Amino acid sequence: MKKVIWMFAALIVITYTVAAQDPTQSQAPKTIQHVPVKPTSAASGKEMFNTYCAVCHGTDGKGGGPAASALKVPPADLTTLAKNNGGKYPALKVTSAIRGESDHPAHGSKEMPVWGSLFLNMSHGHESEVQQRVSNLSQYIESLQAK
C-alpha cells in the first residue's frame, strides 16, 4: 500500500513539474517596443516599407509582421487595397493614411505612427522630400497589390 501512495505522489510531482515547464503558460504578453526612427533613402519605397512598415504589415504586406500579434487592431492586408476599391489602387487614401490625414483608427494611434510628421522631422522640414518619401512608399505599396 505504501508503494502505491509513493507512486501516486511521484506521479503528482511529475505532472506539476511538467505543467510548470509548459512554454505556453510562461510566455509574457507581447508588447510593442518603440524605437527611434532610422533614416532611409527617400528614393526607395521598398527600403522605407521594409524599415518602417514591415514590422507590422510583414515584408509581403499581408499584415503578418513580427509585431502584428501584439497590436490591438490587426494591421491591414495592404495587398488587397485595390481589390477592395473596385480594382483601382486608392493612392490618395494611402498617401493620406501615411501622412496621418486619414481618419483610419489605426493610423496615428499609439500603435501606428503618423509617418508624415516623422518624415518631416527626418528631412529637416523639407516638404519636397516628405512628398518624395510618401509618393515612393505609396508606389511600392501599389506594387504589392494582388493580381
Side-chain angles (χ1 to χ4, degrees):
M1 183 70 170
K2 283 186 179 183
K3 210 177 212 184
V4 172
I5 293 174
W6 278 107
M7 287 176 67
F8 184 69
L11 182 61
I12 290 174
V13 169
I14 291 170
T15 302
Y16 280 113
T17 303
V18 170
Q21 294 176 357
D22 183 3
T24 59
Q25 293 180 6
S26 64
Q27 289 179 346
K30 291 186 179 183
T31 58
I32 301 297
Q33 181 181 4
H34 296 276
V35 296
V37 178
K38 296 179 187 174
T40 59
S41 168
S44 176
K46 182 177 183 175
E47 180 186 358
M48 286 186 288
F49 185 87
N50 288 331
T51 302
Y52 308 132
C53 310
V55 69
C56 294
H57 292 282
T59 55
D60 61 359
K62 294 186 177 190
S69 63
L71 299 174
K72 293 176 187 166
V73 177
D77 179 347
L78 300 178
T79 67
T80 61
L81 296 174
K83 176 185 166 193
N84 296 336
N85 192 49
K88 183 172 176 6
Y89 178 70
L92 289 176
K93 187 175 178 181
V94 172
T95 57
S96 291
I98 293 169
R99 285 184 163 273
E101 299 164 351
S102 166
D103 61 354
H104 193 280
H107 294 262
S109 69
K110 291 178 187 173
E111 293 183 331
M112 171 71 189
V114 175
W115 290 107
S117 59
L118 293 171
F119 289 161
L120 190 62
N121 288 337
M122 202 181 306
S123 64
H124 307 290
H126 295 93
E127 180 59 32
S128 60
E129 184 179 323
V130 174
Q131 289 175 353
Q132 179 185 16
R133 286 180 178 282
V134 171
S135 176
N136 288 340
L137 184 53
S138 178
Q139 287 173 12
Y140 180 73
I141 294 169
E142 184 175 14
S143 77
L144 297 176
Q145 298 309 292
K147 306 294 181 209

